[in-house]
Amino acid sequence: MRLGVFAKTFAGETPGEVLSAAKAAGFDCVQYNMACSGLGALPRVVPAEAVEAVRAATEATGIGIAAVSATYNMIHPDPSVRATGRAAFEAIAGAARGMGTGIVTVCTGSLDAEDQWRSHPENGSGEAWEDFLAEMRLLLPVAERSGVVIGVEPEMANVVSSAARAREMLDAFPGAPIGIVLDPANLFEDLGGFRDGAVVDEAVEMLADRIVMAHAKDRDPGRRFVAAGSGVVDFGRFLGGLRRAGFDGAVVTHGLSAGEAPGVARFLRGQLG
C-alpha cells in the first residue's frame, strides 16, 4: 500500500510546491485537488498546461497522484447547481489520466443546499436515492470515455450513508466504473455505532471487491473527527483487514493540519508495517 494525503492539506497554488510539501512530510502520493493548481476545486476547464504541470511535479518529486477530487453535491436540490458540478466532473475526469490517475472522487450529496457534507432529514428518502441514481447515470458515460473510475465514499451525512447503501449502489450498476473509497471514521458517529470496531470490519468485508482507495481519519469519543491515531479507530486492524481482502492501493489521510502531517505519516507508516 502507498501512503497518501489530501493535497489541500498544504498551502500553495502550484503542484510543485504542494507535492514537495507532501514529500517533505513523509508521504508517497496525494489525492489532488485542482485548487492546488490555482483553478478552484471545480473548474469548468482544465487547461493542457495545468495537466502538464501536475505531471511534471510528480516526476520531479516522485509523489504520485492517487486520485483527483471532483466533489460536487450530486443531489443538490437545484438542478442547475448539479449541472455546474457535472460539467466540472467532466473537465476533471478528462484530465485525470494525463495527471497520472484513474480515480476521480465525488460527493454523493445531501439535500442540504448550503453544505454537501451536512446531513438532511430527507437524505434517506426514496426520492433522494432516485435523484442520486439519475445523476450517477449521467456521470458513468463520462467516466467510461475518460477511462476513469468514479470513487464513491460512504459518508453518514450523504445519500450513500453506509457500507450497505454503497453495496446497494454497486448492485444497481453492475460492471460500471465505480469504486469505493473507504474511510473508517465515516462509518460511525459514536462509540455505540463503532461497536468496538465491528462496523469497520463489516464494511471491509461487504465492499472488499470494489475498494479502490482507503481514507484515514479518526473520531474521538466525543464524536469529533480528528487526525488518524488520535481517536478510537484501530488502524492496524483496519489496514490488516484491507490487506487480507487483497487491497494494495493508496491509503490517504485527511482532516489534519500541515503541522500534524509528519507525525500522522509516521504513525500510519508504522501501521502499514
Side-chain angles (χ1 to χ4, degrees):
M1 299 184 204
R2 295 178 298 156
L3 182 59
V5 63
F6 269 25
K8 279 187 70 179
T9 302
F10 307 103
E13 291 192 346
T14 67
E17 59 187 325
V18 172
L19 269 58
S20 293
K23 181 177 183 177
F27 295 95
D28 307 318
C29 59
V30 299
Q31 181 169 332
Y32 200 71
N33 189 297
M34 298 315 302
C36 298
S37 291
L39 300 176
L42 292 170
R44 294 292 294 269
V45 176
V46 179
E49 55 267 29
V51 175
E52 177 53 35
V54 174
R55 176 67 81 169
T58 66
E59 293 173 356
T61 62
I63 296 294
I65 307 297
V68 61
S69 298
T71 50
Y72 72 99
N73 189 342
M74 290 179 67
I75 62 165
H76 194 285
D78 183 344
S80 69
V81 173
R82 275 182 258 166
T84 298
R86 195 182 315 128
F89 173 89
E90 184 165 7
I92 294 168
R97 284 288 181 185
M99 292 189 288
T101 186
I103 302 172
V104 179
T105 61
V106 297
C107 170
T108 63
S110 172
L111 288 171
D112 187 302
E114 303 301 321
D115 184 350
Q116 64 190 357
W117 307 113
R118 187 163 59 198
S119 187
H120 186 280
E122 295 302 314
N123 282 354
S125 68
E127 293 82 358
W129 185 247
E130 290 303 320
D131 279 351
F132 165 67
L133 295 181
E135 189 70 14
M136 184 62 83
R137 289 187 191 101
L138 297 174
L139 296 189
L140 285 172
V142 177
E144 288 165 354
R145 287 196 303 270
S146 301
V148 300
V149 171
I150 301 171
V152 172
E153 183 172 354
E155 161 65 62
M156 294 184 76
N158 288 159
V159 66
V160 176
S161 56
S162 64
R165 204 60 154 157
R167 188 76 251 177
E168 186 177 350
M169 171 199 66
L170 293 169
D171 292 345
F173 298 105
I178 304 172
I180 298 300
V181 178
L182 192 62
D183 188 329
N186 283 348
L187 301 171
F188 66 97
E189 286 185 319
D190 54 33
L191 293 180
F194 184 53
R195 292 185 285 121
D196 293 324
V199 68
V200 180
D201 298 341
E202 290 165 5
V204 171
E205 182 177 359
M206 188 179 299
L207 300 170
D209 61 319
R210 301 294 288 276
I211 298 171
V212 295
M213 188 165 66
H215 275 176
K217 65 177 182 291
D218 216 331
R219 273 195 198 265
D220 69 13
R223 301 163 61 108
R224 298 176 305 161
F225 288 125
V226 293
S230 302
V232 302
V233 174
D234 182 338
F235 280 94
R237 177 173 167 179
F238 173 54
L239 296 171
L242 289 175
R243 188 176 290 109
R244 288 189 296 276
F247 175 78
D248 64 353
V251 178
V252 177
T253 191
H254 67 112
L256 70 166
S257 68
E260 292 174 306
V264 173
R266 287 192 295 271
F267 166 74
L268 288 173
R269 187 80 65 188
Q271 300 300 302
L272 284 169

